[in-house]
Amino acid sequence: MKLFSLVALGAVLPLLVFLSFTPTEKNAPKKPNIILIVADDLGYGDVGFNGQTKIKTPNLDRLATEGMNFRQQYCGTSVCGPSRAALMTGIHTAHATVRELSEWSLTGKPANLIPTDVTVAEELKRAGYQTGIIGKWGLDEGGTTGHALDQGFDVFYGFKTHREAHHYYPEYIWQNREKVLLPDNDCANKVGTYSNDSFASQALSFIQDHKNGPFFLYLPFTLPHNELTVPDDSKQPYQNQGWPERPMKVAHYHHDPDGNLAYAGMVSRLDRYVGQIMAELKKQKLDENTLVVFTSDNGPGFDNGFFDSNGPFRGGKLQLYEGGIRVPFVARWPGKIKAGSVSGHACAFWDFLPTACEVAGIKPTANIDGISYLPTLLGKPKNQQVHDALYWEINEREGPIQAVVMGPWKGIKFYEKSFELYNLADDIGEKTNLADQHPEIVAKIKAFMAETRTEHPEFPLTKRKALY
């Protein structure tokens, strides 16, 4: 018996030693927090790290200095709703549930996410994340299946629809499923609480309340989307600059008198919010374990050339030229992303979901179009998968329009107009149409457009006007 006991003890001791060094839940590395900050109608060239000289964006520039700047990041499409749908679901407009704003659907049916859509918030909840959205949701246009709380978010504060987000001194803001009235606000006279100030404050509270994490915070501000208005303290630095005045007509949007001053102030106020968020992360000792991503939902909708909001690119919002779909994008994650790095990796909004999933240690559950760019973030380009092609469509005002980027080539198909083909490697401004010189490439891109797109009863590629 004694010999058996000694043998048994000799077998157990190594196991006990091994178990004592095996990571437990308590000492295992925490999953990183993820903060996704999205501007509204901010152009590629509106930020200092992409060449802006008139508008000051020191906090965003610091984000780029401490992280990675993507030079070929594309949004979902060149208008808010479907672009944000691609960001949330990892599915692009060739076969998404939301391919256009409700006004431009065939019958006027509200463009909502549906129960079968799987958002990045739903995916991250599987990995133990607490999730929140503060700002413009815009994917619950009909008040049915698209509510943020039905799409994976634990906390919602902001605007359910895109039209609610048109004004900065709103009559109400949604908090979860409750409409919170703001009786001190006067939208037309711009009196009361500036909505985005509330968003920033709520974001800081969310970080404080969820500091034990992990958390995913989606923070879609509405700056600098029309209407062009901002508190005076944000315009003051741009007074007496000798800028040309840009008088604004007051109608649906209650603009400030000078559009240039207002726009610059709005971008700078957005930059201020980013600085506040970064400071709070440091204060809560979350800085080292938080991936922060900053981008914009589509190209600029305001600039007449004074700010060079689209940078070196052609076009802007509602167009599928590069200026309409190429957006500012920086990612910061200390110790993981090399400070001051720049990437030319071509990626798009539908790549965010698989990237967030890989960061969280899970795989997407739905069949998506996205490819994780985590290898690029971590400085491992040899491990990075690339897209064979990227696809967009839009049917607002000038539509229907389809576009495809395939390697260096960019093809744009307009309704009953000549096909356009550009070599982005040589012609980033899309000035020289090469369609006649390269019919074989045009045919290849057209075939891809036809093969990848699925039909949707509300979003056919037909010419139409907004229904309301």
Side-chain angles (χ1 to χ4, degrees):
M1 285 294 292
K2 290 182 179 179
L3 179 61
F4 176 79
S5 298
L6 289 172
V7 172
L9 183 61
V12 170
L13 278 175
L15 178 62
L16 292 174
V17 171
F18 172 78
L19 290 174
S20 70
F21 287 98
T22 301
T24 64
E25 291 246 343
K26 290 185 178 179
N27 59 27
K30 285 186 177 181
K31 292 182 179 181
N33 306 307
I34 303 171
I35 299 179
L36 172 62
I37 307 172
V38 179
D40 198 335
D41 287 8
L42 184 77
Y44 178 95
D46 276 330
V47 289
F49 62 82
N50 280 341
Q52 178 59 227
T53 58
K54 297 183 178 73
I55 305 173
K56 305 306 178 185
T57 57
N59 294 297
L60 287 169
D61 297 345
R62 182 178 178 183
L63 203 66
T65 299
E66 296 177 350
M68 177 177 287
N69 179 7
F70 279 64
R71 294 288 173 81
Q72 197 174 359
Q73 165 72 28
Y74 292 104
C75 59
T77 189
S78 57
V79 73
C80 61
S83 185
R84 293 159 191 264
L87 180 65
M88 287 292 100
T89 65
I91 298 173
H92 59 58
T93 48
H95 28 258
T97 299
V98 178
R99 306 189 192 187
E100 190 51 87
L101 297 177
S102 302
E103 298 95 310
W104 295 86
S105 62
L106 186 64
T107 66
K109 182 180 179 181
N112 300 316
L113 292 183
I114 59 177
T116 53
D117 287 319
V118 181
T119 69
V120 62
E122 290 177 279
E123 298 285 25
L124 291 176
K125 280 182 70 66
R126 292 192 297 109
Y129 279 69
Q130 297 168 299
T131 59
I133 168 178
I134 299 168
K136 175 181 173 179
W137 176 236
L139 297 172
D140 186 26
E141 298 289 300
T144 54
T145 60
H147 196 286
L149 298 187
D150 296 326
Q151 295 291 337
F153 288 96
D154 301 316
V155 175
F156 169 53
Y157 182 87
F159 301 122
K160 291 200 301 182
T161 71
H162 77 282
R163 282 188 173 271
E164 290 173 325
H166 283 185
H167 300 293
Y168 288 88
Y169 297 90
E171 297 177 359
Y172 61 87
I173 287 180
W174 292 94
Q175 185 163 20
N176 295 324
R177 298 186 192 274
E178 300 297 321
K179 182 184 286 188
V180 178
L181 299 179
L182 304 172
D184 295 331
N185 277 19
D186 185 333
C187 181
N189 293 305
K190 290 166 279 191
V191 173
T193 301
Y194 195 67
S195 61
N196 284 246
D197 285 357
S198 295
F199 297 157
S201 177
Q202 290 285 330
L204 299 182
S205 295
F206 182 92
I207 292 170
Q208 294 160 10
D209 293 343
H210 297 84
K211 60 185 178 183
N212 293 325
F215 66 77
F216 167 54
L217 174 57
Y218 175 35
L219 191 49
F221 288 105
T222 60
L223 293 162
H225 189 288
N226 287 344
E227 62 194 358
L228 299 182
T229 185
V230 71
D232 288 341
D233 64 310
S234 288
K235 290 185 284 188
Q236 193 277 330
Y238 301 104
Q239 299 280 358
N240 305 316
Q241 295 291 316
W243 289 358
E245 292 186 5
R246 187 171 184 184
M248 303 299 296
K249 181 179 179 181
V250 175
H252 168 71
Y253 295 118
H254 304 297
H255 298 297
D256 288 353
D258 188 332
N260 284 338
L261 284 180
Y263 189 79
M266 292 168 83
V267 175
S268 285
R269 202 171 190 87
L270 172 66
D271 180 81
R272 181 197 301 180
Y273 300 146
V274 172
Q276 292 171 350
I277 292 162
M278 301 310 296
E280 188 63 33
L281 290 175
K282 288 184 181 294
K283 180 180 177 181
Q284 299 298 334
K285 296 181 172 55
L286 300 174
D287 183 66
E288 297 292 322
N289 197 43
T290 302
L291 168 63
V292 177
V293 174
F294 174 86
T295 189
S296 176
D297 66 341
N298 48 248
F302 164 77
D303 189 27
N304 62 353
F306 179 68
F307 292 112
D308 291 325
S309 292
N310 56 1
F313 307 118
R314 176 182 178 182
K317 182 178 181 179
L318 304 180
Q319 298 178 317
L320 295 185
Y321 294 114
E322 293 291 285
I325 55 176
R326 197 182 292 215
V327 289
F329 184 95
V330 292
R332 178 188 183 274
W333 188 3
K336 301 290 186 180
I337 297 175
K338 183 180 178 182
S341 53
V342 177
S343 174
H345 174 62
C347 52
F349 268 17
W350 46 96
D351 295 326
F352 176 75
L353 183 148
T355 304
C357 285
E358 189 172 3
V359 168
I362 59 175
K363 293 184 179 181
T365 57
N367 183 21
I368 61 172
D369 298 308
I371 296 174
S372 170
Y373 46 74
L374 183 60
T376 295
L377 293 178
L378 300 181
K380 301 176 181 179
K382 292 182 180 179
N383 297 337
Q384 180 64 62
Q385 291 182 295
V386 297
H387 288 280
D388 294 329
L390 299 167
Y391 174 97
W392 302 265
E393 67 180 55
I394 190 168
N395 204 348
E396 187 168 337
R397 296 187 186 177
E398 300 179 18
I401 312 171
Q402 295 171 277
V404 164
V405 167
M406 189 176 287
W409 297 104
K410 168 84 171 288
I412 306 177
K413 183 180 179 183
F414 295 88
Y415 182 74
E416 295 183 345
K417 292 183 180 179
S418 299
F419 194 91
E420 296 182 11
L421 179 70
Y422 302 97
N423 187 333
L424 297 179
D426 301 326
D427 181 20
I428 199 65
E430 295 170 287
K431 297 178 180 178
T432 305
N433 184 1
L434 301 176
D436 290 341
Q437 290 96 309
H438 298 279
E440 73 289 353
I441 296 173
V442 170
K444 186 176 180 181
I445 291 176
K446 284 184 176 180
F448 177 81
M449 288 177 175
E451 291 165 2
T452 195
R453 189 179 193 276
T454 60
E455 291 301 322
H456 190 294
E458 288 294 331
F459 306 111
L461 291 175
T462 57
K463 193 72 175 178
R464 54 185 180 271
K465 296 181 180 180
L467 294 180
Y468 51 90

